[in-house]
Amino acid sequence: MLTKRIIPCLDVLDQKVVKGVQFRNHRIVGDILSLAEFYANEGADELVFYDITASSDQRSVSVTWMNQVAAAINIPFTVAGGIRSLEKARALLNAGADKISLNSPALENPSLINQLSAAFGAQCVVVGIDSRWIEDDFYVFQYTGNEATSQNSRRKTKDWVVEVQERGAGEIVLNCMQSDGVLHGYDLEQLKYMRAITTVPLIASGGAGKCSDFVDVFQKTGADGALAATIFHDRILSISNVKQTLVENNIEVRTS
């Protein structure tokens, strides 16, 4: 059995790590490199870095701080933010990133998923999906790093989940927008539904507030990993707290 992954998420805005609630009202929580080193030393399985306004600003994530991160930590990490070309993806992978994550750029140009998967392998290609319930179904939102630009892509989440897999995505991160930052637990029903239509690893994101939330997301949805931010940034829990609880509940995790 593959171990379940605990993945701190570092949202980056103006070269600082920030955190919002439901993708709004972002506050500074720390320095990129300091937090990356802290989580790597604490036992994180991976890290994810999102330059949250890169896509809406029509720019791409900085290769410079990717080089710095790669030099500072010894665990895998994923990077996202305005990656719209093979050349930019290659530069970030060459800078030390293990995986490239697409969100808004994939919605703008779905064939980019195919191109990246063909060039670098599906294992390098993650698609992040920011999903919100609107009236009758879950819909995918884009440009969510900036409240002023966030908009409904008009794509239903379930349809997009199927399409990105067909195009070569090797992993999906499902960001449940209404759960984000509120510390009331993951959106288990949405995750369970989307897990049933995925054949690639599915990473849960949004809502962790206590150790039992991680137990629930793994036992009740079949998620392969769990992203969390506020609960770690604010030192509500440590990664070791979470992993010990998972071990006690017979959920296999990496502990060394």
Side-chain angles (χ1 to χ4, degrees):
M1 176 184 290
L2 293 175
T3 58
K4 302 298 188 180
R5 289 176 275 157
I6 302 300
I7 309 171
C9 176
L10 288 78
D11 290 341
V12 176
L13 177 65
D14 297 329
Q15 304 298 305
K16 291 291 184 182
V17 178
V18 299
K19 187 66 191 83
V21 175
Q22 296 183 339
F23 291 58
R24 300 184 176 119
N25 303 317
H26 293 95
R27 58 186 170 89
I28 295 174
V29 295
D31 173 74
I32 298 170
L33 289 180
S34 297
L35 282 172
E37 289 183 277
F38 175 79
Y39 291 133
N41 292 333
E42 199 185 29
D45 296 298
E46 299 177 18
L47 296 178
V48 172
F49 297 88
Y50 290 136
D51 186 330
I52 61 173
T53 59
S55 287
S56 60
D57 291 347
Q58 297 299 309
R59 57 178 178 79
S60 183
V61 62
S62 167
V63 172
T64 301
W65 59 262
M66 281 297 96
N67 273 306
Q68 295 170 344
V69 167
I73 66 173
N74 60 357
I75 61 173
F77 68 92
T78 300
V79 59
I83 302 166
R84 292 182 167 92
S85 68
L86 288 178
E87 293 72 25
K88 189 63 183 185
R90 182 175 288 109
L92 291 165
L93 292 169
N94 288 341
D98 295 272
K99 291 183 264 188
I100 297 299
S101 183
L102 306 175
N103 191 323
S104 297
L107 290 162
E108 297 166 359
N109 175 21
S111 66
L112 182 60
I113 303 169
N114 305 69
Q115 295 166 23
L116 291 175
S117 186
F120 307 117
Q123 77 283 352
C124 287
V125 183
V126 180
V127 173
I129 300 177
D130 296 337
S131 177
R132 178 184 287 275
W133 181 266
I134 302 292
E135 295 182 356
D136 64 336
D137 213 332
F138 289 105
Y139 286 84
V140 183
F141 276 64
Q142 61 191 129
Y143 312 127
T144 54
N146 183 335
E147 187 177 349
T149 59
S150 180
Q151 64 187 51
N152 188 345
S153 72
R154 305 300 175 186
R155 290 177 178 267
K156 290 187 176 182
T157 303
K158 58 192 176 187
D159 296 337
W160 187 230
V161 163
V162 171
E163 181 176 344
V164 301
Q165 292 177 94
E166 291 173 346
R167 289 183 175 277
E171 185 168 281
I172 293 171
V173 176
L174 185 64
N175 304 306
C176 302
M177 295 179 70
Q178 280 134 317
S179 300
D180 178 73
V182 299
L183 305 177
H184 292 162
Y186 292 96
D187 186 340
L188 301 179
E189 290 306 310
Q190 181 178 184
L191 287 159
K192 190 188 307 182
Y193 181 85
M194 299 306 169
R195 171 73 277 181
I197 58 172
T198 56
T199 57
V200 301
L202 178 68
I203 311 301
S205 176
K210 54 189 183 300
C211 282
S212 61
D213 292 334
F214 292 89
V215 175
D216 286 344
V217 80
F218 290 131
Q219 288 186 339
K220 297 180 179 180
T221 76
D224 299 276
L227 245 64
T230 303
I231 197 172
F232 295 141
H233 295 334
D234 291 349
R235 306 294 192 264
I236 297 169
L237 289 175
S238 68
I239 293 169
S240 59
N241 293 150
V242 172
K243 288 194 170 184
Q244 181 59 39
T245 301
L246 293 173
V247 169
E248 291 168 358
N249 283 271
N250 300 313
I251 297 169
E252 192 167 350
V253 292
R254 182 180 66 86
T255 56
S256 62

